[in-house]
Amino acid sequence: DTSVKNKLLTNVECSVNELSYKKDAQFLKYIDSIKIIKNAVEFIHDRQKEAHKIAVVTNSNRRIAEEILKYINIKNQGQKPWFFCLY
């Protein structure tokens, strides 16, 4: 978000935090439009049933990643660490 603000939206009057909030709000508004890879959710559920450790690696922010997981009904089975965010 910082790069977008500093390189593409130099003439827009808002902070990086405001930009991030607005972007996240728009994403969540249309979360039902995301495309789920066929059998991906079932694959993860099967691995969890087999007690495999699962981690999420993303270049999204953690809030959005957690909302996507909630939307597709994937829950942390009490494992730590759960998230690795790459920015």
Side-chain angles (χ1 to χ4, degrees):
D1 294 342
T2 302
S3 294
V4 170
K5 173 71 173 112
N6 293 337
K7 294 177 183 173
L8 300 175
L9 301 175
T10 55
N11 61 341
V12 174
E13 292 295 324
C14 74
S15 69
V16 173
N17 287 340
E18 289 174 291
L19 178 64
S20 293
Y21 177 81
K22 289 177 182 181
K23 180 194 65 150
D24 291 353
Q26 284 298 306
F27 183 89
L28 293 174
K29 182 177 178 181
Y30 297 102
I31 197 167
D32 59 334
S33 298
I34 63 174
K35 303 283 188 238
I36 310 300
I37 297 170
K38 185 179 180 180
N39 298 320
V41 174
E42 293 80 6
F43 177 83
I44 294 170
H45 285 156
D46 290 346
R47 301 299 72 78
Q48 287 178 320
K49 287 177 191 170
E50 295 169 357
H52 290 275
K53 293 182 178 180
I54 306 293
V56 175
V57 179
T58 180
N59 64 349
S60 295
N61 66 56
R62 184 176 181 138
R63 175 178 172 233
I64 293 300
E66 287 176 337
E67 290 297 328
I68 292 169
L69 292 173
K70 189 184 315 178
Y71 176 76
I72 63 176
N73 196 30
I74 294 177
K75 297 174 178 73
N76 183 351
Q77 303 280 328
Q79 306 171 44
K80 303 283 185 208
W82 175 241
F83 271 93
F84 301 95
C85 297
L86 310 172
Y87 292 97

